[in-house]
Amino acid sequence: MQTIKKTYNSILPHIYAFLGKTYLPYYPSKISIESGNLCNLRCPLCPTGQQDKTARKGFITFDVFKRIIDEIGKHLTLIRLYNWGEPLLNKDLLRMIQYAKERRIDIKISTNLSMKMEDEQIEVLLKSGLSKIYISCNGASRETYMKYHVGGDFDLVMNNMKRLNAKKHVLSECRTSLVWLFHVFKHNQHEINKARELAEKMGIKIKVSKMRPDMGKEVFETTQQAIERDKAWLPDNPEFSVISKKRRKRIGCTLPWTEIMINWDGNILPCCAVYSEKHAFGNILENSFAEIWNNEMYVSARKEILGRKNTKHTICHTCKRSGYLHG
């Protein structure tokens, strides 16, 4: 019965978005929960890497995570347990994964994997029940890797990937998928094939992903502004960039109908592209999710996207005025 209910909730958001409804009688089935917004690297296009101080810093605690799951877990099929930081730095990570898996919720994390890991740590991580581990590594050589992953260790990342994959294949019960994320920039575009060859040699899946401009600013600016500022990072092939020099016609965002982002401190935002809690639509530690999901902020955001009169300015208004994300 629970599986049927979760499937039902995964379909409803698209129907209600299509119909233009702004008050929603369902909960989202896929959400993101920030494990924390602290990181061991200093990636130049990430606000955490830039040490941006416009957001409070910290890690989500197990108690806060449990409170979220206890309220809305029965509706969830997937949790992305990451956003603006390194999940493996959170001491409660394994406990949170276990709590979600006991409720049949799939969990994904994204890690830079640039840290020393004992054999026991690797085994415990793979036995935790994660459905997927994304490994962010934007280089196929030490020199190229260091251009973006400032403070990281390419050899350590490669070794950790090999060890994870080797251990995965001796754990018969392990169903965790390992995926190397290779974001294409101008400085590493020549290494795409080399990265694919390395991944094949290690026996790991690789996903060649598009470059994003400065992630802390992208909601607040037009595509042209992003191109002008970050042109030194833009790959020559536009196929590998989420931003386009041509203005595209596109339907407005549907994220306020389909997903949410919960920050480490309980603040709720409409999407993972918004960095600071000052744009929050509410806090789940102060109000119930039911109250926040259809509050004045959320309803106004949905109305604005639909082009209807609304009563309160939100971050969605700003994003729409900028032409929508990467529009």
Side-chain angles (χ1 to χ4, degrees):
M1 187 66 182
Q2 189 178 25
T3 302
I4 295 174
K5 188 172 184 179
K6 287 182 177 181
T7 303
Y8 181 64
N9 269 15
S10 69
I11 297 171
L12 273 182
H14 303 285
I15 296 173
Y16 272 74
F18 177 77
L19 294 175
K21 303 296 184 181
T22 58
Y23 187 91
L24 310 180
Y26 60 84
Y27 286 178
S29 61
K30 299 177 181 180
I31 68 170
S32 296
I33 300 177
E34 184 176 60
S35 57
N37 60 357
L38 295 164
C39 188
N40 53 324
L41 302 187
R42 294 290 175 259
C43 302
L45 296 183
C46 171
T48 300
Q50 297 166 2
Q51 298 182 288
D52 188 315
K53 293 180 171 52
T54 59
R56 290 193 296 268
K57 300 294 189 287
F59 295 107
I60 192 170
T61 64
F62 175 76
D63 289 340
V64 173
F65 183 85
K66 181 179 181 296
R67 179 166 174 171
I68 295 167
I69 302 306
D70 288 349
E71 182 175 356
I72 66 174
K74 63 183 179 180
H75 304 281
L76 299 176
T77 59
L78 173 67
I79 296 172
R80 303 177 188 92
L81 193 50
Y82 59 92
N83 195 31
W84 296 116
E86 172 51 58
L88 296 184
L89 296 179
N90 189 315
K91 61 182 178 59
D92 286 336
L93 180 67
L94 294 173
R95 195 177 173 195
M96 292 186 289
I97 295 168
Q98 182 181 12
Y99 196 74
K101 291 304 296 180
E102 288 171 354
R103 283 142 190 83
R104 298 182 180 180
I105 305 169
D106 284 340
I107 297 274
K108 297 179 182 180
I109 65 168
S110 180
T111 171
N112 60 57
L113 213 58
S114 183
M115 60 194 71
K116 292 181 179 179
M117 299 182 73
E118 301 296 332
D119 291 342
E120 183 182 359
Q121 289 175 288
I122 285 178
E123 182 168 346
V124 170
L125 184 63
L126 290 170
K127 284 183 174 179
S128 67
L130 282 167
S131 61
K132 189 169 289 186
I133 300 175
Y134 290 113
I135 300 153
S136 179
C137 178
N138 304 326
S141 66
R142 187 182 298 108
E143 293 73 23
T144 303
Y145 169 86
M146 288 296 297
K147 177 81 173 178
Y148 189 80
H149 295 288
V150 179
D153 186 326
F154 176 75
D155 294 328
L156 181 60
V157 174
M158 290 292 110
N159 188 47
N160 283 339
M161 270 204 275
K162 291 174 185 176
R163 293 168 65 212
L164 274 169
N165 196 45
K167 179 59 69 173
K168 168 183 160 64
H169 284 92
V170 300
L171 296 175
S172 58
E173 73 276 18
C174 181
R175 298 292 180 269
T176 303
S177 175
L178 304 175
V179 181
W180 176 357
L181 280 184
F182 184 96
H183 290 88
V184 181
F185 297 88
K186 182 183 286 292
H187 72 276
N188 69 1
Q189 58 191 354
H190 65 288
E191 290 191 339
I192 294 173
N193 288 336
K194 184 178 179 181
R196 285 176 171 148
E197 290 168 4
L198 278 174
E200 184 178 5
K201 186 176 180 180
M202 287 188 289
I204 283 185
K205 296 177 184 175
I206 186 168
K207 181 179 180 182
V208 177
S209 299
K210 296 181 177 183
M211 173 231 165
R212 283 173 62 183
D214 191 312
M215 293 177 280
K217 301 179 177 68
E218 55 191 353
V219 170
F220 303 94
E221 61 191 8
T222 66
T223 295
Q224 293 304 316
Q225 288 171 325
I227 289 173
E228 182 59 31
R229 187 195 57 249
D230 296 331
K231 58 188 176 184
W233 293 97
L234 286 174
D236 296 330
N237 188 343
E239 175 189 347
F240 295 117
S241 174
V242 295
I243 57 179
S244 172
K245 294 182 180 180
K246 292 184 178 180
R247 192 68 176 176
R248 298 192 305 267
K249 292 182 179 179
R250 63 178 291 176
I251 299 172
C253 174
T254 60
L255 290 177
W257 284 264
T258 59
E259 300 191 25
I260 61 161
M261 176 72 230
I262 304 180
N263 280 7
W264 68 271
D265 56 2
N267 278 300
I268 290 181
L269 294 160
C271 80
C272 64
V274 185
Y275 180 64
S276 175
E277 70 276 355
K278 70 181 180 180
H279 305 293
F281 285 9
N283 190 299
I284 201 166
L285 302 181
E286 300 169 3
N287 299 99
S288 71
F289 184 83
E291 292 172 317
I292 298 170
W293 185 232
N294 283 303
N295 65 10
E296 187 179 16
M297 297 285 283
Y298 254 113
V299 171
S300 288
R302 293 172 188 138
K303 285 183 176 179
E304 178 66 16
I305 291 170
L306 294 169
R308 298 177 188 169
K309 185 177 180 180
N310 56 86
T311 57
K312 202 165 188 72
H313 184 87
T314 71
I315 189 64
C316 295
H317 291 64
T318 302
C319 186
K320 181 182 178 181
R321 188 172 62 243
S322 298
Y324 291 115
L325 205 58
H326 313 131

